[in-house]
Amino acid sequence: MTVRVRFAPSPTGMFHVGGARSALQNWIFAKQQGGVFVLRVEDTDAARNKPEWTEGILSALEWIGIARDTYEGPYFQSAYAGEHRAAAGRLHDAGRAYYCDCTREAVQARTGSQYQGYDGFCRDRGLPPGEGRALRFRTPDEGTTVVVDLIRGEPTFENKLIEDFVIARGDGSPVFLLANVVDDMTMGITHVIRAEEHLPNTPKQQLLWDALGVKPPVWAHVPVVVNEKRQKLSKRRDKVALEAYRDEGYLAAAMRNYLMLLGWAPSGDREIVPWSVIEEEFRLAEVNPSPAFFDEKKLRAFNGEYIRALPVDEFVAACRPWLTGTGTIAPPPWQPEEFDADAFAAVAPLAQTRIAVLSEIVPNVDFLFLADPLIDEAAWAKAMKEGAAELLDAAVAGYTALESWDAESLKSTLEAVGAERGLKLGKAQAPVRVAVTGRTVGLPLFESLEVLGRERTLARLRAARLRLV
Ligand code: GLU
């Protein structure tokens, strides 16, 4: 039997990193099993869905390595409404579901306000369908439902503790629990790999599979993803959108490797491994069922390592969207015509070892492209202390006389200027750096000046000197 898995996102917002993790796990599992990965967009919540969220999911999946030609679909759940209703009808006709007109208030008046479930009042009333009548599944009174879960063993649920749950609303529309099962059946899904938050739905869903007479899938509930406070990552509190990480300059290769480490690790105490190793070694059954900590600091460090490992020309190409402000990425502070690709290529190797996310390239190189540097006033105040004006004068004099404009000569000249004033190079550098780049930290100074060129460097030193008058 061919393995068929699915990833079934609801297009109700940005694409959650936890979702991306589940998608990758499904995709690798399918690949390992020679199976099929199905993408199903669960778009039945018309009030919350937007087509652009769907497009966002597809392109985010593509970015992370799940290309559109490697899966079946996307199917859209809304196209299967007829199947959902037909299944509800079959369950009713077989006596496995019944109509109910109880309001929550009526149930609570009978049971007490603490009780959240349903007391079975309408079970044997034989109500016909009608406006406002929900359809409830008649759960078995006895026995247990055993879920086979590749990660969690065999969670067992007492049927008598499972309430008669709603499968279609008062307006006849099937609810998630049923639509999701019917689609999995229609699409021949053999393994349902999804987030742990759906585990409580699983006994109910498995009862539906049984009642509809189809062998249920094997389940795998992958761990919930939590923040440093052990809270489930939430879009209101945490940075959860895969797109946000992409736009900040995380590399897809780093991101997907990191996502796969949530609850699992490759052999030999390694974390950074080629994707092919992950594809080969990943075992769903080895995924740790406990909550997985999404450690943004670790991800940053991880990304920095991936950036440093890039060949320089790939690094240069990878930075391009931040240098030009392409697509969803904010434009840089300089005008497009001020950008100089050769100057950037010259400093790129210096920047490559210093940044953890690609967006950090902008403040590191803006001094090269802006007509005037963006002066950070706090940096200015710190660097332009007593003696700064004289030091800048001496630097201008030394640099004007310089024969060869190269980093080595720029450095030895400033070293000499500093020495005359009893200053170590670091101290002598500070006013020059702020005058030229506007900041106290940045790329190695003398290489930066070499690339910036004689004229622009001298103009900036003079401009800073004038400010000190
Ligand atoms: N649309 C559901 C979700 O996004 C899918 C649940 C499932 O994978 O079965 O949570």
Side-chain angles (χ1 to χ4, degrees):
M1 187 182 57
T2 309
V3 163
R4 289 175 63 84
V5 299
R6 88 305 194 265
F7 177 57
S10 306
T12 53
M14 302 290 264
F15 189 36
H16 194 289
V17 286
R21 179 274 323 254
S22 308
L24 286 170
Q25 290 174 330
N26 269 287
W27 192 81
I28 293 182
F29 183 75
K31 191 163 180 194
Q32 289 175 339
Q33 304 288 322
V36 177
F37 175 100
V38 173
L39 182 65
R40 180 173 74 237
V41 178
E42 300 210 321
D43 60 343
T44 36
D45 186 348
R48 292 172 64 215
N49 295 320
K50 288 197 201 135
E52 56 265 38
W53 296 134
T54 298
E55 188 44 41
I57 292 170
L58 300 190
S59 64
L61 285 174
E62 191 160 38
W63 177 65
I64 206 96
I66 302 183
R68 297 183 201 220
D69 60 0
T70 61
Y71 55 79
E72 194 179 296
Y75 297 115
F76 289 87
Q77 184 158 64
S78 54
Y80 295 85
E83 279 79 357
H84 307 152
R85 282 175 194 262
R90 285 207 304 283
L91 291 169
H92 178 253
D93 295 349
R96 303 301 306 266
Y98 59 87
Y99 285 98
C100 165
D101 62 3
C102 298
T103 59
R104 174 110 322 262
E105 294 72 38
V107 177
Q108 291 192 338
R110 291 193 295 269
T111 59
S113 59
Q114 299 306 323
Y115 187 69
Q116 289 300 314
Y118 181 62
D119 61 353
F121 183 78
C122 291
R123 262 196 160 198
D124 301 311
R125 289 175 70 205
L127 287 179
E131 185 55 34
R133 289 183 179 164
L135 188 61
R136 285 187 184 272
F137 184 72
R138 188 189 298 274
T139 59
D141 296 325
E142 293 169 354
T144 54
T145 296
V146 182
V147 165
V148 176
D149 188 301
L150 289 178
I151 297 173
R152 283 157 212 280
E154 298 193 349
T156 301
F157 301 85
E158 293 275 349
N159 290 338
K160 64 170 184 290
L161 298 180
I162 304 174
E163 63 165 336
D164 286 354
F165 54 92
V166 171
I167 56 175
R169 301 181 189 89
D171 62 3
S173 62
V175 303
F176 160 75
L177 281 176
L178 180 66
N180 182 262
V181 164
V182 172
D183 288 348
D184 283 345
M185 270 175 201
T186 310
M187 295 168 195
I189 300 304
T190 59
H191 294 72
V192 171
I193 304 164
R194 62 181 177 182
E196 181 184 354
E197 40 266 53
H198 286 291
L199 188 58
N201 292 327
T202 308
K204 296 177 180 172
Q205 293 197 304
Q206 185 157 305
L207 286 169
L208 292 175
W209 282 84
D210 292 340
L212 289 164
V214 184
K215 183 173 170 283
V218 172
W219 311 86
H221 287 91
V222 301
V224 63
V225 182
V226 296
N227 66 16
E228 71 284 355
K229 294 191 184 128
R230 301 269 133 194
Q231 299 159 317
K232 193 176 140 189
L233 282 197
S234 110
K235 64 178 165 195
R236 271 170 298 282
R237 185 180 48 224
D238 306 298
K239 186 162 81 189
V240 297
L242 191 64
E243 295 92 328
Y245 288 93
R246 181 189 63 197
D247 292 355
E248 208 178 316
Y250 284 85
L251 298 176
M255 197 72 202
R256 66 180 182 172
N257 187 340
Y258 183 72
L259 289 172
M260 289 303 293
L261 292 182
L262 296 171
W264 177 81
S267 63
D269 247 356
R270 295 172 299 170
E271 292 198 310
I272 296 191
V273 292
W275 185 245
S276 57
V277 170
I278 294 182
E279 282 190 350
E280 195 178 308
E281 290 193 1
F282 175 70
R283 292 290 173 275
L284 208 40
E286 287 173 6
V287 172
N288 185 333
S290 332
F293 173 30
F294 188 88
D295 184 347
E296 209 185 314
K297 286 201 193 83
K298 181 167 170 181
L299 171 61
R300 261 184 76 83
F302 217 76
N303 198 61
E305 293 209 34
Y306 270 85
I307 286 180
R308 289 189 284 285
L310 288 176
V312 177
D313 55 336
E314 282 182 32
F315 173 71
V316 167
C319 288
R320 194 116 195 142
W322 286 270
L323 301 171
T324 53
T326 317
T328 51
I329 292 163
W334 55 83
Q335 296 302 314
E337 64 278 6
E338 291 179 308
F339 178 66
D340 175 347
D342 292 336
F344 178 64
V347 297
L350 306 172
Q352 189 173 3
T353 55
R354 285 176 169 74
I355 62 175
V357 291
L358 294 173
S359 56
E360 288 171 357
I361 196 64
V362 172
N364 273 288
V365 299
D366 58 2
F367 74 95
L368 267 182
F369 308 126
L370 289 166
D372 299 306
L374 288 169
I375 304 276
D376 168 357
E377 294 302 332
W380 177 276
K382 205 165 130 198
M384 302 301 183
K385 297 255 168 68
E386 250 203 75
E390 293 69 30
L391 186 127
L392 288 178
D393 283 338
V396 168
Y399 283 174
T400 308
L402 208 59
E403 268 173 32
S404 158
W405 191 262
D406 61 80
E408 207 34 58
S409 317
L410 287 157
K411 181 179 172 193
S412 53
T413 304
L414 195 64
E415 238 161 7
V417 166
E420 282 165 21
R421 289 164 177 73
L423 296 174
K424 292 231 170 70
L425 182 60
K427 286 263 187 258
Q429 273 196 104
V432 174
R433 182 187 285 284
V434 172
V436 173
T437 70
R439 294 188 171 79
T440 45
V441 287
L443 303 186
L445 179 64
F446 303 107
E447 281 89 343
S448 299
L449 301 185
E450 180 181 323
V451 177
L452 187 64
R454 186 190 298 262
E455 243 173 78
R456 297 175 77 196
T457 302
L458 287 172
R460 288 179 191 192
L461 293 175
R462 289 193 184 106
R465 177 65 186 83
L466 280 179
R467 255 188 88 169
L468 290 173
V469 172

